[in-house]
Amino acid sequence: MVEKLIKLPDVGEGVAEAELVEWHVNVGDLVREDMVLAAVMTGKATVEIPSPVDGEVTFRHGEIGDIIATGTVILKIRIAGEGGETDEEPQVKPAVAPVAALEPASEKKVEPLKPKAEIAASPPVAKPLSHPVGVPRAEGEKPLAPPAVRLRAKEAGIDLRQVPGTGPAGRITHEDLDAFLNSQPGSGAIAAGLQPNKAVQEVKVVGLRRRIAEKMALSKSRIPHITYVEEIDMTALEELRTRMNGTQKPGRPKLTILPFLMRAMVKAIGEQPGINALYDDEAGVIRQYGGVHIGIAAQTPSGLVVPVVKHAEARDIFDCAREVARLSDAAKNGTALREELSGSTITISSLGAMGGIVSTPVINHPEVAIIGVNKLAVRPHWDGVQFVPRKMMNLSSSFDHRVIDGWDAATFVQRLKALMETPALIFVEE
């Protein structure tokens, strides 16, 4: 019998290590050629590792969440034949980002992770009382009780002078208070059968969730954010958008607010190119880009990803809408390519109807700006004579205050406001 050594393959792009996010086999399993053995993650893309041979798994190295160096032996498969061990570096499957398939810490045929510490809740047992419940203390006698018990009694509206104590010198304990509560008519949560849930479950942070955590920590620890909020009167834009959707030609995508905002950003960036930049704070260099590559933060079943619309400056409003729809579907279905999830120079964060009134979006490091889209709603607006109903929406935008001054941030947002409130300007070629 021969044992085939399966090593973590080189997944390209100079990656020297990868995170193990899925096991599809256990020791003792029989596998066939091309069967998926495991999956690893680099950046926000996952790579599946197939079996190069038929055989039986005899060794498995690594746990979900481990960072493993390229070339490390992760599996041994016993195959028919003579000899000892042979090396094998399997050909990885096309590098895509199966976002929707990244179930946290999932393993095929492996028992799910159980809570590390789970304490079964049981009703407290009261100690025997030294004298009958409800017998008041002598007049002027002060009850002895620790602060926590006094607080509980105060919140429950209990006079501690009515509660017998079983502790030293008649001290009232939590058990004494529980027993007193249980003895009263309609004695509250415990008597009604409701018990505190003291279970604790530990969930290991792996895969995409780990990448998100690392990215957020990096952004918040290194970037001093300045957030600027402005309200936009979207009434005219919404009327135009409705009219364009009602008269659109076959094959044209439905327009949402995002394509209008993207085209407005392209125009505003043309006047302030420093907004469309990446800041390499270690080298002390700001790289301003001519191409406007807009990341669209998208929520997926596995977490937040940012597909990128490349060269928005070369796309009309319908092409922007078409590309946003395509990338959003790919991200949610887990078919987005690795290059479609990287390379942004500025990002839009939009939660749609869940956008709230104000948000404080976190900059996608090493970018220097992010535009947050809040909920659109009809609100009363003063037109100088009277209050009239208008469709209003806030933009909550964050900027890297190391390289973007408050005045420049405000100027950029005000330019977006002017373009969005007079949407015909978005289509004017200068």
Side-chain angles (χ1 to χ4, degrees), residues 216-361:
M216 292 298 104
L218 176 66
S219 294
K220 292 298 288 184
S221 64
R222 298 180 70 165
I223 301 177
H225 286 57
I226 175 176
T227 300
Y228 183 88
V229 182
E230 179 60 286
E231 64 176 358
I232 314 293
D233 186 343
M234 299 287 289
T235 308
L237 190 147
E238 280 294 278
E239 291 174 354
L240 176 61
R241 186 177 70 87
T242 301
R243 188 173 301 130
M244 292 176 70
N245 280 334
T247 59
Q248 65 180 358
K249 298 178 181 179
R252 278 187 172 175
K254 182 178 179 180
L255 295 175
T256 64
I257 292 174
L258 287 184
F260 290 91
L261 176 58
M262 293 167 68
R263 289 302 305 166
M265 289 169 60
V266 168
K267 277 189 166 292
I269 286 170
E271 301 168 8
Q272 291 180 268
I275 302 293
N276 187 54
L278 306 182
Y279 178 35
D280 185 342
D281 47 8
E282 293 184 352
V285 175
I286 301 171
R287 296 183 176 90
Q288 297 181 5
Y289 289 80
V292 182
H293 311 310
I294 302 178
I296 309 293
Q299 190 66 33
T300 72
S302 296
L304 179 69
V305 296
V306 186
V308 182
V309 177
K310 302 290 178 63
H311 290 290
E313 80 282 358
R315 301 176 184 269
D316 63 20
I317 198 164
F318 290 104
D319 196 14
C320 286
R322 186 179 296 107
E323 187 68 356
V324 168
R326 185 189 72 80
L327 289 172
S328 296
D329 289 342
K332 292 175 183 177
N333 296 333
T335 57
L337 301 177
R338 181 158 35 198
E339 54 267 25
E340 294 174 331
L341 298 175
S342 61
S344 57
T345 55
I346 189 169
T347 296
I348 294 175
S349 174
S350 174
L351 292 176
M354 298 288 290
I357 298 174
V358 173
S359 57
T360 55

Side-chain angles (χ1 to χ4, degrees), residues 10-29:
D10 181 359
V11 296
E13 297 187 0
V15 176
E17 59 185 16
E19 179 184 356
L20 181 62
V21 293
E22 293 179 16
W23 273 123
H24 291 267
V25 295
N26 282 318
V27 172
D29 286 354

Side-chain angles (χ1 to χ4, degrees), residues 116-128:
K116 186 175 181 180
E118 185 168 333
I119 305 173
S122 58
V125 180
K127 295 180 180 179

Side-chain angles (χ1 to χ4, degrees), residues 2 4 6 23-38 49-60 75-80 108-109:
V2 179
K4 184 76 72 174
I6 309 299
W23 273 123
H24 291 267
V25 295
N26 282 318
V27 172
D29 286 354
L30 298 177
V31 298
R32 292 194 175 276
E33 185 176 355
D34 290 331
M35 176 179 172
V36 176
L37 303 173
I49 301 176
S51 175
V53 294
D54 296 347
E56 178 185 355
V57 178
T58 60
F59 169 80
R60 197 183 80 171
L75 286 162
K76 293 181 181 179
I77 299 178
R78 181 184 295 127
I79 60 177
K108 191 174 182 180
K109 298 193 288 186

